[in-house]
Each structure stands twice: as C-alpha cells, then as structure tokens.
C-alpha cells in the first residue's frame, strides 16, 4: 500500500551461508560430512572419530586419534560446583533444562574461558584455548546427561571411566547396575548408541546449529553458545521430536487407531511427529540406518511393543496422498525414540541423547565461524511488511 515490495515468505527460508562441514542433498536423501557419506561413517567410524572429522576437517591419523581419545576421556569429570548445580535441580526437571543450566554453569565457573573477562580475541587469537575448551565441552557433555539421570534416580553420581569408550562410559555412568563392582554395559547397546551418536552429530544449518553460529558470532564464550543451541534443540519441532513421537504413538495406542489419527493430522488437529523435514523431500538417510539399529537393540533388550503401531503409522502415511503430496517422510526422530525406550531410558531423556552428540556439530560450526568468519557478527536483515509511516495520535483522539 505504501510502495513496499513484499517478498515471497519462502525466500526467508532459503537464505544460505557457506560451510565445509556437512552437505545435504534433500531431493536425493544424501548426507555427507567433510566428503564422507553418512552410511560409511555409520558403518566404519565411531562417534569420537566422527567428532574429530567434523571439528578438524580430516580423519585423524593414529597419533592424532590416540591423543584425541585420551584428551576427551580424561576430561569427562565435572567440577564440584557444576555437580552442585545439577544436584540442586528437582528430580523431575526436564533433562534438557538440566543440560542447558549445567553447560551455562560450566561457563560461569570458568572465567579463564570467558572473552568478556579475557578479551574478545581469546579464541580467535589462540588455537590452544579453543581446542582445550572444545575437549572440555565435548568430554563433559555426556557426564552432564549421566548426572541428570542420577538425580532422577535419586542415586549417587557414578564417576566416569577414562578406560571406556565415550558411549560405553555414558551408559556406564547412567546405568543403575554400574554400582556393582566391575559392571560393563552390554556391548550391543554401546555399539547401537555409538551409531546413533554418529547419526546425530551434525546436520548442516539446522535450527540449533544456526543458533550456535548466530550466538557464537557475538564472540561470547562457547559454553553460553552451546546452552543457547541446546535450548533450540529442546523444542518438539526439532530435537524434542524423538520424545514427542513416543508420546504421540502412546496416544494412538493401537494399530486399529492409526487411520483415525491420520485423519486428525489431515484436519491439522495433530502433528505427525517424526515426519517431515525442511530439507529432505524424499527420505532422511539417517532414518533408514536407525531402523536397522533398532533391530540390534530389540535383540538385546526385547522388542519394543510400540514398534508395531509405529510401523503401521509409517506405512499408512507413506501411502496417503496428503503426506505424499507434501513430501513428508520419516525423519531421524521417528525411530530413535523407540530405541531409547527399548533401552530403558525415561521418555524425557530422549532429547538429551540427541543433544550430547550434536555438541560435536555445534563445536565444529563454532570453530569454523571463528577460523573463517573474520569475527563478523551475524546480523540478518528483515523485510519490513508492517504499517507505513504515520503520526502519533494522543490517547483522547484514539477511537
Ligand atoms: C530434526 O533441520 C534439521 O536438519 C533438523 C534435524 C537435525 O538433524 O538437526 O534433521 C532434526 O529436527 C528433524 C525434524 C523433527 N521434527 C519433527 O518430527 C516434528 C514434525 N515435523 C514438522 O514439524 C515439520 O515437518 C518440520 C518442522 C520438521 C519441517 O517443517 P517445514 O519445513 O516448515 O514444513 P512445512 O510446515 O513447510 O510443511 C509443508 C506442509 C504444511 O502443510 P500445508 O500448509 O501445505 O497444508 O506439510 C505440513 C505442513 O502443515 N507438515 C506436516 C508435518 N510436517 C509438515 N503435517 C503434519 N505432520 C508433520 N510432521
């Protein structure tokens, strides 16, 4: 009305930035990290090696690999003051709230890692400071998840074990059986969790990674940026979807109730959690791999009864014009919750099992930004589509 050019809102969803870390082809359902297809990493690599690849851009040689694993697994313990913060949380606090609080507290208790105190070039001028804090944050992320589990169980914390692998140590610190001398987690579950962690480690410029990059571009400390990214992941449209999928399937309750539920989805009364993706328009390559991991876990833990309803729901949706027309397919969250449920994790712990591995991706994008972003703050422009210029009206003259 006042000469403003109004852009197609879809334009706002397509602004892009460059990155060397992850490539996704949404039409082909293709995902690679630093040139390596996700299928190869899931079958040949492990989580810590994939984390190194994401962050430093290459697969580590033997010496780099040994040093990386040693450093990470010797930086898994949480400081007493952080443990006190976690212990102060209610037993029924959502683990993602605990995670956000604990990571921010780690930053609050590390003045040496705070650019507000040490100067804005703290990380851009010193690779050692950056690498040391990358190791601390990744090493301790799993322990924060385990500590929140112990608060939930009202059981004492179990100290981490540096002689275990990353996922083995996580399961060990979380598992109630670990109080028994010499307990080792089931290696089938360790392997399953490690594959899941590879699949969740990074995914281009998703909502939480964009948050990490956006917040990190102000040159704040990485702990505050990770806490912000974790808050973005917490939402049910993003990493909270794996928990929402199970709550949805439990609400559906039976295979017979699937058609009625899908009718509600079509009437927009329900959302089909675990389906759809802003980028993938045919299939999410991770969901195929996760479906195979599910069988590994069901063999170790027993078949999760909800898998029948989930499979019926997936099959019905894939044949239904409403979903086919909108190119809606199972995403990474559709099956992962069933696995975590079969493994015995409480429902509200599922998103934190997404957040822990995604710390690797968040750190990779944060490092990339500081290495190549020449310290420029992210400041997107908007397209103003509000009221045109007008004069102030005193209250007595307003109708
Ligand atoms: C993750 O970005 C990433 O890479 C994320 C992630 C990662 O690894 O970081 O892959 C992880 O977050 C996976 C997504 C987990 N979220 C869910 O499963 C929640 C359910 N999914 C939807 O909320 C949705 O599909 C999104 C949020 C994932 C994507 O939303 P978009 O791209 O904004 O999709 P859209 O709203 O443009 O969809 C187009 C149409 C709309 O209908 P119409 O207006 O055309 O009638 O499809 C509908 C939407 O209403 N639609 C759905 C739907 N997803 C889209 N309808 C029902 N159920 C759904 N799940």
């Amino acid at each position: 009305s006042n000469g403003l050019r109004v852009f197609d809102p879809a334009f706002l969803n397509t602004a892009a930035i460059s990155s060397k870390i992850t490539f996704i082809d949404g039409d082909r359902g293709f995902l690679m990290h630093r040139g390596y297809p996700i299928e190869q990493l899931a079958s040949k690599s492990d989580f810590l090696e994939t984390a190194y690849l994401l962050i430093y851009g290459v697969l580590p040689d033997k010496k780099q690999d040994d040093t990386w694993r040693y450093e990470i697994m010797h930086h898994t313990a949480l400081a007493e003051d952080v443990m006190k913060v976690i212990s102060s949380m209610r037993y029924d606090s959502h683990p993602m709230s605990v995670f956000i609080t604990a990571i921010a507290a780690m930053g609050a208790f590390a003045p040496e890692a705070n650019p507000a105190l040490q100067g804005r070039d703290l990380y851009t001028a010193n690779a050692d400071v950056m690498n040391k804090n990358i190791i601390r944050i990744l090493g301790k992320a799993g322990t924060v998840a385990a500590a929140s589990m112990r608060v939930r169980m009202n059981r004492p914390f179990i100290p981490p074990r540096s002689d275990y692998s990353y996922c083995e140590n996580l399961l060990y610190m979380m598992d109630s059986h670990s109080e028994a001398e010499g307990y080792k987690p089931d290696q089938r579950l360790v392997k399953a969790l490690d594959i899941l962690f590879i699949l969740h480690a990074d995914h281009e410029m998703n909502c939480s990674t964009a948050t990490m990059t956006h917040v990190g571009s102000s040159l704040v400390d990485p702990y505050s940026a990770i806490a912000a990214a974790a808050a973005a992941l917490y939402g049910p449209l993003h990493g909270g979807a794996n928990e929402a999928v199970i709550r949805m399937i439990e609400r559906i309750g039976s295979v017979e109730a699937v058609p009625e539920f899908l009718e509600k989805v079509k009437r927009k009364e329900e959302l089909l959690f675990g389906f759809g993706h802003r980028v993938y328009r045919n299939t999410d390559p991770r969901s195929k791999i996760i479906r195979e991991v599910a069988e590994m876990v069901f063999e170790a833990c027993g078949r999760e009864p909800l898998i029948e309803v989930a499979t019926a729901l997936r099959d019905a949706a894939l044949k239904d014009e409403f979903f086919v027309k909108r190119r809606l397919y199972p995403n990474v969250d559709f099956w992962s919750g069933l696995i975590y449920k079969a493994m015995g994790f409480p429902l509200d712990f599922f998103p934190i099992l997404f957040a822990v591995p995604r710390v690797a991706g968040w750190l990779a994008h944060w490092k990339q930004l500081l290495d190549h972003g020449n310290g420029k703050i992210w400041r997107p422009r908007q397209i103003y589509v509000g009221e045109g210029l007008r004069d102030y009206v005193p209250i007595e003259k307003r109708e």
Side-chain angles (χ1 to χ4, degrees):
S1 59
N2 47 27
L4 264 179
R5 286 181 306 136
V6 178
F7 284 75
D8 170 3
F11 162 78
L12 295 174
N13 285 341
T14 57
I17 63 162
S18 67
S19 170
K20 298 178 179 175
I21 299 170
T22 291
F23 172 73
I24 299 173
D25 180 330
D27 288 326
R28 285 171 48 212
F30 177 77
L31 165 63
M32 69 177 185
H33 295 312
R34 303 282 191 179
Y36 297 97
I38 191 64
E39 293 79 6
Q40 291 191 28
L41 293 172
S43 60
K44 299 187 168 88
S45 185
D46 74 352
F47 170 61
L48 279 189
E49 182 182 72
T50 299
Y52 186 97
L53 172 68
L54 289 168
I55 294 167
Y56 297 103
V58 293
L59 288 172
D61 62 25
K62 183 76 175 70
K63 184 168 178 299
Q64 290 164 331
D65 190 60
D66 290 346
T67 306
W68 173 247
R69 289 176 199 279
Y70 180 89
E71 287 300 320
I72 292 286
M73 294 316 293
H74 285 79
H75 284 85
T76 50
L78 295 176
E80 269 312 299
D81 44 18
V82 175
M83 294 300 263
K84 282 194 192 110
V85 169
I86 296 173
S87 306
S88 70
M89 307 293 280
R90 280 173 50 105
Y91 79 94
D92 57 354
S93 299
H94 194 289
M96 280 306 289
S97 298
V98 176
F99 189 81
I100 293 161
T101 307
I103 299 287
M106 281 166 62
F109 301 138
E112 76 285 357
N114 187 347
L117 304 173
Q118 309 301 333
R120 68 188 182 91
D121 299 333
L122 177 62
Y123 291 98
T124 46
N126 189 330
D128 290 346
V129 173
M130 182 188 288
N131 293 329
K132 180 180 164 197
N133 284 283
I134 284 173
I135 286 166
R136 288 178 72 210
I137 292 169
L138 186 56
K140 297 169 192 291
T143 313
V144 169
S148 56
M149 174 66 87
R150 304 299 289 180
V151 168
R152 169 67 54 84
M153 297 159 82
N154 195 23
R155 298 296 302 158
F157 294 126
I158 293 181
R161 290 200 50 156
S162 58
D163 57 334
Y164 282 4
S165 70
Y166 194 90
C167 290
E168 189 173 26
N169 178 48
L170 178 55
L171 287 177
Y172 168 74
M173 292 188 292
M174 279 192 162
D175 197 323
S176 53
H177 300 93
S178 302
E179 292 168 44
E181 185 55 34
Y183 171 76
K184 262 178 92 67
D186 182 321
Q187 293 306 299
R188 292 169 297 181
L189 301 186
V190 171
K191 179 65 183 161
L193 193 64
D194 198 84
I195 295 172
L196 286 167
F197 273 31
I198 291 171
L199 298 176
H200 284 86
D202 188 59
H203 206 243
E204 201 223 57
M205 202 39 67
N206 58 83
C207 179
S208 55
T209 301
T211 304
M212 179 75 192
T213 313
H214 213 137
V215 171
S217 75
S218 73
L219 300 185
V220 75
D221 69 277
Y223 300 86
S224 303
I226 292 270
L233 190 81
Y234 190 178
L237 293 190
H238 191 10
N242 56 18
E243 172 182 354
V245 165
I246 300 300
R247 295 187 192 281
M248 169 188 76
I249 295 174
E250 287 176 335
R251 260 199 336 273
I252 296 170
S254 69
V255 171
E256 294 69 30
V258 163
E260 170 50 26
F261 176 79
L262 289 181
E263 289 310 310
K264 284 183 183 168
V265 173
K266 294 181 202 175
R267 293 195 299 268
K268 310 281 183 181
E269 294 161 16
E270 288 276 2
L271 194 62
L272 182 52
F273 286 102
F275 257 65
H277 200 277
R278 174 61 55 80
V279 179
Y280 289 127
R281 292 307 189 199
N282 279 310
T283 176
D284 181 335
R286 300 168 295 175
S287 64
K288 184 168 158 296
I289 301 169
I290 288 184
R291 184 66 189 82
E292 292 155 14
V293 171
E295 291 308 325
M296 275 169 77
V297 171
F298 293 160
E299 187 198 299
C301 303
R303 197 163 186 76
E304 169 48 50
L306 292 179
I307 188 83
E308 312 315 333
V309 178
T311 306
L313 184 64
R314 185 270 319 258
D315 293 347
L318 290 184
K319 287 189 290 230
D320 189 305
E321 182 52 24
F322 175 92
F323 301 96
V324 173
K325 188 170 76 170
R326 290 169 174 78
R327 305 183 76 179
L328 302 178
Y329 298 85
N331 59 45
V332 70
D333 292 301
F334 188 72
W335 302 111
S336 57
L338 289 163
I339 293 175
Y340 294 138
K341 189 167 184 300
M343 291 173 79
F345 291 107
L347 206 41
D348 58 357
F349 272 81
F350 297 2
I352 203 170
L353 292 168
F354 191 148
V356 170
R358 188 51 60 92
V359 165
W362 293 335
L363 289 169
H365 285 269
W366 173 70
K367 181 175 185 300
Q368 176 177 252
L369 171 92
L370 294 186
D371 288 349
H372 307 294
N374 53 53
K376 297 290 282 178
I377 195 166
W378 268 31
R379 205 291 188 198
R381 292 307 309 277
Q382 62 157 29
I383 294 150
Y384 178 72
V385 290
E387 293 294 334
L389 197 59
R390 53 184 170 169
D391 292 326
Y392 181 83
V393 179
I395 193 160
E396 59 277 8
K397 292 195 173 161
R398 293 172 206 160
E399 54 269 4

